[in-house]
């Protein structure tokens, strides 16, 4: 279920209370079985039993949107308590109390509670997602629990679509410097370090296979990644022994490649992959354009050699036409 937030982006500014009121339409198509399942989740989550299902179901039939905000309120304050209060897991009594205060307009909903409530509905997410993110945010040290400040979704989560310049900005460390704790990739959430590993695997797959050098997007990713990789190199005194004392099978593959390919057009070497410090064979085209490949295992080496014949034909054709 989503709130279709885009419906209101061009309309008049909505107060926090109006934003919550708009959430009610998410629940309108819900079946009795769906509401019962949500009520059961509330009872188990906040009362550690099934005995309060009826209590929550009654309120869901009245004002489901306010019960949702009250549940979010309890979870947010559990990890980020009010100033002067100790962190403690808030239970069902708190949820019902806040529900009544919100419905009866005794208290206005805080902006951070409304923001997280909308985030859950817009993404079709669960309270488990929220608890995980709040726990990570609380333990990160970027916001000190108990000081009154609480994170907003857009402050700690960024979308993968916005990270074209991921390597230029410093990879995972760049995200963390900006305060981001999560990357949203098509509804899956990664920590900066996990997203860096995901992106590194993706670019290494490209670097181990033939790729189109005329594809500007691919080349930008490769070039910025390689520049970032240079910034991650070990000090020379640590790196040199790892690149000098090579395993015999790796030495044999480097030697075999040197005999199979035109070393006038390509250079062959060994380098350490960033972070993992794994040795990979690096093949560089010596032309001005300078394509690069990183081959980490025998399968990738054999696949590259299989394509090498077509590389050679293309180079010969270019040479004859020039």
């Amino acid at each position: 279920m989503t709130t279709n937030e885009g419906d209101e982006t061009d309309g008049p500014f909505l107060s926090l209370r109006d934003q919550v009121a708009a959430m009610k339409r998410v629940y309108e198509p819900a079946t009795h079985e769906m509401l019962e399942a949500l009520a059961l989740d509330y009872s188990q989550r906040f009362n550690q039993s099934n005995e309060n299902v009826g209590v929550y179901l009654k309120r869901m039939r009245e004002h489901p949107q306010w019960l949702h905000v009250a549940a979010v309120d309890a979870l947010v304050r559990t990890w980020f308590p009010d100033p002067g209060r100790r962190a403690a897991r808030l239970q069902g009594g708190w949820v019902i109390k806040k529900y009544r205060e919100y419905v009866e307009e005794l208290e206005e909903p805080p902006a951070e509670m409304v923001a997280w409530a909308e985030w859950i509905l817009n993404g079709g997410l669960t309270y488990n997602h929220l608890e995980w993110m709040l726990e990570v945010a609380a333990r990160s040290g970027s916001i000190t629990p108990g000081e009154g400040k609480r994170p907003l979704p857009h402050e700690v989560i960024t979308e993968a679509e916005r990270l074209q310049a991921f390597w230029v900005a410093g990879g995972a460390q760049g995200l963390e410097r900006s305060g981001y704790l999560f990357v949203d990739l098509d509804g899956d959430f990664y920590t900066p370090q996990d997203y860096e590993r995901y992106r590194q695997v993706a670019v290494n797959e490209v670097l181990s296979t033939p790729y189109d050098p005329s594809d500007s997007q691919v080349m930008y990713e490769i070039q910025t990644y390689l520049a970032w990789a240079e910034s991650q190199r070990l000090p020379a005194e640590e790196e040199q022994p790892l690149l000098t004392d090579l395993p015999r099978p790796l030495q044999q593959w480097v030697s075999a490649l040197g005999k199979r390919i035109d070393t006038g057009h390509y250079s062959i070497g060994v380098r350490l992959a960033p972070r993992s410090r794994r040795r990979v064979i690096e093949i560089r085209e010596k032309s001005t354009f300078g394509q690069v490949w990183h081959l980490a295992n025998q399968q990738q080496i054999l696949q590259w050699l299989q394509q090498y014949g077509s590389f050679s034909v293309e180079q010969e054709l270019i040479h004859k036409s020039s």
Side-chain angles (χ1 to χ4, degrees), residues 30-278:
T31 63
H32 175 74
E33 289 73 21
M34 292 172 66
L35 294 179
E36 274 196 329
L38 286 169
L40 177 61
D41 179 63
Y42 283 130
S43 186
Q44 292 177 341
R45 186 178 301 274
F46 294 110
N47 300 85
Q48 293 75 53
S49 75
N50 298 342
E51 296 179 0
N52 292 76
V53 171
V55 174
Y56 292 111
L57 188 58
K58 179 177 183 295
R59 283 153 182 81
M60 289 195 71
R61 295 193 180 285
E62 296 171 345
H63 306 285
Q65 72 279 19
W66 286 112
L67 185 61
H68 173 54
V69 175
V72 168
D73 186 302
L75 296 176
V76 171
R77 291 185 206 255
T78 288
W79 291 101
F80 292 90
D82 293 334
R85 290 183 175 271
R86 297 177 59 185
R89 177 163 291 278
L90 298 176
Q91 304 291 339
W94 180 272
V95 175
I96 298 303
K97 171 178 176 289
K98 300 311 291 185
Y99 168 84
R100 288 172 178 160
E101 290 176 350
Y102 290 150
V103 168
E104 296 172 11
E105 301 189 28
L106 300 176
E107 181 182 335
E108 289 300 297
E112 61 269 29
M113 310 307 181
V114 176
W116 283 110
E118 288 184 326
W119 175 78
I120 289 175
L121 294 182
N122 289 337
L125 302 170
T126 67
Y127 296 121
N128 288 337
H129 286 102
L130 175 58
E131 288 214 65
W132 173 51
M133 293 192 172
L134 292 171
E135 180 178 2
V136 171
R139 298 189 189 285
S140 72
S142 57
I143 300 175
T144 305
E147 291 186 351
K149 179 170 172 50
R150 301 183 176 101
L152 291 166
H154 71 271
E155 294 175 338
V156 295
I157 306 167
T158 186
E159 296 180 354
E161 291 80 2
R162 300 176 57 190
L163 301 178
Q164 287 85 357
F166 177 69
W167 302 113
V168 174
Q173 293 178 344
L175 288 178
E176 292 168 345
R177 283 195 297 269
S178 298
Y180 292 118
L181 302 176
F182 302 95
V183 177
D184 180 353
L185 177 63
D186 298 327
D188 292 325
F189 296 91
Y190 294 75
T191 65
Q193 295 296 335
D194 286 340
Y195 180 73
E196 181 180 275
R197 282 189 284 271
Y198 165 87
R199 189 112 168 208
Q200 190 173 359
V201 167
V203 73
N204 280 331
E205 286 179 357
V206 174
L207 282 169
S208 68
T209 58
Y211 55 86
D212 183 2
S214 66
D215 188 325
S216 60
Q217 187 173 352
V218 168
M219 293 308 299
Y220 178 79
E221 181 75 0
I222 289 173
Q223 291 165 358
T224 56
Y225 168 74
L226 292 175
W228 170 83
E230 284 298 315
S231 72
Q232 302 299 309
R233 298 189 75 151
L234 291 171
E237 62 272 16
E238 296 181 39
E239 185 176 86
Q240 193 58 41
L242 296 173
L243 295 178
T244 302
D245 186 19
L246 299 178
R248 183 169 179 78
L250 185 58
Q251 294 180 40
Q252 291 173 333
W253 275 115
V254 171
S255 176
L257 282 165
K259 295 174 182 177
R260 292 285 303 276
I261 68 177
D262 182 357
T263 53
H265 283 98
Y266 299 96
S267 64
I268 307 170
V270 178
R271 68 163 301 150
L272 298 179
R275 302 288 196 204
S276 70
R277 310 306 183 199
R278 183 181 181 184

